Amino acid sequence: MDIKVKLFAYLREGRDKVVLLDMNEGDTIKKAVKILNIDPKEISILLINGRDANIDSILVQGDTVSIFPPVGGG
Amino acid sequence: MNGYNGKILRVNLREKTVKVEDINTHDAERFIGGRGLGSKILLDEIDPKVDALSPDNKLIVITGPLTGAPVPTGGRYMVVTKSPLSGTVASSNSGGYWGAEFKATGYDAIIIEDKSEKPVYINIEDDKVEIRDGEHLWGKLVSETTKALKTAHGEKAKVLTIGPAGEKLSNIAAIINDEDRAAGRSGVGAVMGSKNLKAIVVKGSKKTNVYDEEKLKEVVSKLNKQIKEDGVTGTGLPAYGTAILVNIINENGVFPTHNFQTSQFDKAEEISGETLANDHLIKRTACYRCPIGCGRYVRIHDSEGGGPEYETIWAFGSNCGISDIKAIIDANFWCNEYGLDTISTGATLAAAMELREKGYIKEEDLAGPDLKFGNTEAIIYWTQKMGSREGFGHKLGMGSYRLCESYGAPELSMSVKKLEIPAYDPRAIQGQGVQYATSNRGGCHVRGYLISPEILGSPVKLDRFALEGKAQWAKTFQDLTAAIDSLGLCLFSSFAFSADDYAELYNAVTGSQHTGESLIGAGERIYNLERVFNLKAGIDGSYDTLPKRLLEEEIAEGPSKGNVTKLSVLLPEYYELRGWVDGAPTEEKLESLGL
Ligand code: SF4
């Protein structure tokens, strides 16, 4: 299945901003993170299609995953 | 007195007198300093019903006990006065270096009374305080004024000034210090302008007395470590500044676009913190004793200067349909030069664009670039005209509420208590919604930054759509923030510090015996005091609401689709927690807080 992963802030260093992954039914965000060689400790916020998710969330065909390191402001 | 100088300056601009008074130590204990003590002085000394731009209003510039102390982010000062925009208490704070320098002159605060007949500025060099002729500075931009005053008083002097917008009494005029740091909101610049006061120059040599130097060193080194290790303060803010929020807020579908008509901007990437850092950042900058350094110093074309914050990028960017980051940087430069609040300026332009789109504003009204969403030329041109208050810019300079009201469409102003709401669509961030509605100064995100738990996951991640517990979160954040603003620290420290950490700092500097909990209690006292001011000014619970659009029109598309702020559920719960009836503290509540 096709999964779009969007990376932000310094997670883009050495990677593309947007990565298209071909994944299997039942795969979780953890798998995507592994493929992209991102240390889960660097992740602060995960979204699937703009809604809160976590590293064990199961992906379905066409999902967009957004991954952020700790960021803040105000 | 540890932490405080113990002295307040009282300057009467009509009589040209300067008096030195002792600080009221009892009040300093109960209201800390800065925002809290400033509000107490204001409530004691003015009738809250006064016209904010009349000589009867007072302008209080005040530091906190930690301002100028050797503590991380201890550079804040606060401007407390009655707001000409909202009619509420206004307290706008700013960083940079001016606050710490002022504290070093030996005073904690300056109370400015009445009005000078002619433009003047105040110069303070330790014990020497003079009111000087400022006619040659009147009409000058902020950078020109700062330069002229530094030439006159030396490079070490720090300058706080208004630009032409404040002189011309724009309701959204800011006070600017160190050229690009702003006490931005609530129109405090217009109050200064109404007094014919152009600037306050300070140069000081005194050190803030510390109660327990050893203990303070220990606490500071622990907190510096916390700042370094926290992902937000140690990595995110230093690398990208607040602009990093553009993408995350947009991905969540709460990035107000076209005056809150939609909540996602398809060109967010072009105006993101990542783009700003890659294409325009020259270096990061930091305020007094700040290890975080979230400030941006940027370049476009041949100009260099302070770069835009997240809220500024939003205000001129998605909210006006603009995807050209260079134009936003430019608009931000002009706001600093004219002394305008970037949030209210951008948000007022966005409201004008919707008025134009809906046919209220006619092309012939403008005599300038068309106020259409997406018109880059318009945001630059009209920002300057708002600053100089020429032509249609005069009307724009009133702020979005009065602008929309003048066309019979006040509901198109996205404001609370006439102060423009920034950058986060509260329809799908419920806690932020009740916070915006109940904020004592109106539509403001830094009176309680619920974005932190509801979106960013700090200190814990909350479900942004849920209602449960949100009223309590809003109250606690509002109270803790009131305490931080009164201590003289930057709110961004709260990503890394707990309430107990603040208490430890406060205790080490002043010798007080606070815990985190009692500090939040002091914050609650301050919050209620501000509320009392507002009630006496005629701003009652009926003003604790949101624009109709946010209560009734569901977000039309994107990940936050289908939501409105459920204020009718949240507000009664919030009042109950506060011990308020219809937005007013009960007698028992006031008594329990010692008010
Ligand atoms: S975090 Fe940013 S705004 Fe706050 S004191 Fe540091 S540099 Fe200034």
Side-chain angles (χ1 to χ4, degrees):
Chain A
M1 60 182 182
D2 304 319
I3 301 295
K4 187 183 193 179
V5 182
K6 293 164 104 175
L7 300 174
F8 297 94
Y10 54 80
L11 296 180
R12 289 176 175 181
E13 283 166 19
R15 302 184 188 93
D16 287 335
K17 284 185 217 171
V18 180
V19 187
L20 298 173
L21 297 178
D22 183 9
M23 299 183 71
N24 297 320
E25 293 290 322
D27 279 350
T28 62
I29 294 186
K30 198 183 269 163
K31 178 95 179 279
V33 165
K34 196 160 178 209
I35 299 171
L36 292 167
N37 200 18
I38 297 171
D39 180 350
K41 284 206 279 295
E42 281 187 330
I43 299 173
S44 166
I45 299 152
L46 287 168
L47 303 174
I48 298 179
N49 305 325
R51 305 291 282 247
D52 291 339
N54 62 58
I55 195 108
D56 296 315
S57 299
I58 296 170
L59 298 165
V60 298
Q61 163 63 27
D63 274 350
T64 297
V65 180
S66 311
I67 309 182
F68 298 86
V71 289
Chain B
M1 230 184 138
N2 294 308
Y4 304 85
N5 290 311
K7 301 235 169 294
I8 287 180
L9 271 178
R10 186 178 294 278
V11 176
N12 187 297
L13 290 178
R14 182 171 306 274
E15 291 162 8
K16 303 279 181 294
T17 53
V18 176
K19 281 191 219 147
V20 179
E21 296 173 4
D22 290 337
I23 198 172
N24 180 326
T25 50
H26 178 60
D27 282 349
E29 261 169 42
R30 296 194 315 144
F31 300 99
I32 305 173
R35 177 174 155 193
L37 186 58
S39 301
K40 177 70 169 71
I41 297 171
L42 190 74
L43 184 59
D44 285 348
E45 296 197 7
I46 74 162
D47 173 359
K49 289 201 174 60
V50 293
D51 172 354
L53 297 180
S54 75
D56 296 333
N57 194 7
K58 296 188 185 183
L59 185 77
I60 302 167
V61 184
I62 183 164
T63 59
L66 302 188
T67 310
V71 302
T73 82
R76 295 258 145 185
Y77 73 91
M78 184 70 70
V79 180
V80 183
T81 186
K82 176 173 175 169
S83 162
L85 182 67
S86 60
T88 66
V89 61
S91 34
S92 296
N93 83 57
S94 177
Y97 289 81
W98 191 91
E101 193 70 30
F102 172 55
K103 183 88 173 269
T105 62
Y107 307 101
D108 295 307
I110 174 167
I111 301 172
I112 295 151
E113 302 178 333
D114 217 320
K115 173 188 178 170
S116 168
E117 227 163 87
K118 292 197 173 135
V120 291
Y121 72 94
I122 297 171
N123 179 48
I124 308 172
E125 290 174 27
D126 286 331
D127 299 331
K128 185 178 96 186
V129 183
E130 34 181 24
I131 303 169
R132 297 179 68 127
D133 173 24
E135 225 148 353
H136 60 296
L137 301 169
W138 210 246
K140 284 205 179 346
L141 297 174
V142 165
S143 65
E144 296 166 344
T145 309
T146 307
K147 207 165 146 212
L149 289 170
K150 278 187 174 257
T151 306
H153 298 284
E155 268 310 301
K156 194 184 171 286
K158 301 284 181 277
V159 178
L160 166 157
T161 183
I162 53 169
E167 296 171 12
K168 301 215 161 134
L169 310 182
S170 162
N171 284 323
I172 55 174
I175 292 175
I176 309 276
N177 58 283
D178 303 296
E179 289 200 44
D180 58 13
R181 306 294 319 186
R185 307 225 64 200
S186 307
V188 292
V191 177
M192 192 158 154
S194 75
K195 303 199 169 304
N196 269 330
L197 176 63
K198 177 69 177 176
I200 308 176
V201 187
V202 292
K203 206 158 54 173
S205 63
K206 303 194 172 95
K207 269 174 70 179
T208 300
N209 286 332
V210 169
Y211 170 73
D212 187 340
E213 301 263 3
E214 277 313 300
K215 177 75 188 164
L216 184 64
K217 269 195 199 131
E218 196 185 295
V219 180
V220 166
S221 107
K222 178 190 92 168
L223 294 181
N224 277 334
K225 197 159 162 256
Q226 278 172 226
I227 286 180
K228 218 170 142 196
E229 283 168 5
D230 178 84
V232 174
T233 51
T235 317
L237 279 172
Y240 297 100
T242 57
I244 194 62
L245 290 177
V246 169
N247 273 326
I248 185 158
I249 302 301
N250 192 55
E251 287 295 300
N252 277 278
V254 284
F255 192 47
T257 299
H258 292 186
N259 200 35
F260 288 75
Q261 293 186 80
T262 59
S263 305
Q264 231 173 7
F265 188 47
D266 55 0
K267 301 196 177 94
E269 180 63 32
E270 292 168 42
I271 57 170
S272 67
E274 288 89 338
T275 301
L276 185 71
N278 284 339
D279 299 350
H280 302 288
L281 184 69
I282 299 174
K283 60 177 181 190
R284 70 186 176 106
T285 57
C287 305
Y288 175 80
R289 279 190 189 268
C290 179
I292 305 169
C294 75
R296 308 288 92 182
Y297 193 78
V298 299
R299 176 186 291 135
I300 44 161
H301 316 301
D302 302 331
S303 331
E304 290 180 6
E309 300 287 347
Y310 163 67
E311 286 73 14
T312 309
I313 295 180
W314 159 78
F316 288 103
S318 64
N319 210 34
C320 290
I322 302 289
S323 59
D324 180 351
I325 186 81
K326 294 204 280 300
I328 297 170
I329 293 172
D330 210 14
N332 182 61
F333 283 165
W334 287 116
C335 283
N336 287 340
E337 284 293 22
Y338 281 96
L340 283 165
D341 172 27
T342 60
I343 295 175
S344 288
T345 302
T348 300
L349 287 170
M353 287 172 175
E354 189 172 351
L355 287 169
R356 174 83 184 94
E357 188 178 72
K358 296 207 157 42
Y360 291 101
I361 296 177
K362 309 270 181 277
E363 197 175 356
E364 58 271 21
D365 296 343
L366 296 175
D370 203 354
L371 279 165
K372 280 203 165 128
F373 287 113
N375 185 355
T376 351
E377 196 196 342
I379 63 162
I380 312 287
Y381 180 88
W382 289 113
T383 295
Q384 293 178 51
K385 294 293 171 198
M386 281 163 98
S388 59
R389 300 210 75 186
E390 292 167 296
F392 195 70
H394 190 269
K395 209 164 180 173
L396 292 168
M398 301 188 299
S400 70
Y401 187 87
R402 288 172 178 84
L403 174 76
C404 293
E405 194 184 36
S406 75
Y407 289 97
E411 71 281 3
L412 296 184
S413 163
M414 294 297 118
S415 58
V416 174
K417 304 179 180 88
K418 303 190 177 72
L419 180 70
E420 289 75 13
I421 299 171
Y424 312 88
D425 195 326
R427 282 174 287 192
I429 322 169
Q430 295 293 338
Q432 193 63 44
V434 70
Q435 199 296 117
Y436 277 152
T438 57
S439 155
N440 283 329
R441 75 166 172 180
C444 167
H445 61 300
V446 286
R447 281 297 175 270
Y449 193 61
L450 275 288
I451 302 307
S452 212
E454 294 193 277
I455 303 261
L456 305 172
S458 169
V460 292
K461 180 75 180 80
L462 302 178
D463 174 1
R464 62 192 169 94
F465 300 102
L467 302 178
E468 213 192 323
K470 292 298 175 60
Q472 179 67 57
W473 275 92
K475 174 182 180 291
T476 306
F477 265 49
Q478 286 175 338
D479 292 346
L480 177 60
T481 303
I484 299 170
D485 288 345
S486 303
L487 288 169
L489 298 184
C490 172
L491 187 57
F492 291 168
S493 60
S494 65
F495 284 108
F497 299 178
S498 68
D500 286 335
D501 292 331
Y502 289 110
E504 266 193 272
L505 270 181
Y506 184 32
N507 294 346
V509 172
T510 64
S512 70
Q513 302 281 324
H514 273 281
T515 59
E517 209 183 313
S518 70
L519 202 56
I520 294 175
E524 183 179 16
R525 182 178 301 123
I526 293 162
Y527 210 82
N528 278 269
L529 180 88
E530 293 177 335
R531 181 60 50 149
V532 168
F533 181 96
N534 285 358
L535 290 163
K536 289 191 174 169
I539 312 289
D540 60 16
S542 66
Y543 290 78
D544 289 337
T545 188
L546 293 171
K548 208 164 137 220
R549 172 168 291 162
L550 306 182
L551 296 174
E552 293 177 10
E553 285 174 33
E554 292 178 354
I555 293 179
E557 50 194 19
S560 295
K561 187 178 168 177
N563 285 282
V564 294
T565 309
K566 300 198 180 71
L567 197 61
S568 57
V569 179
L570 291 164
L571 192 62
E573 194 189 333
Y574 173 90
Y575 281 170
E576 170 100 44
L577 287 164
R578 279 241 172 260
W580 293 358
V581 173
D582 296 334
T586 58
E587 283 299 319
E588 300 87 79
K589 185 74 213 177
L590 291 178
E591 214 164 285
S592 76
L593 293 167
L595 289 173

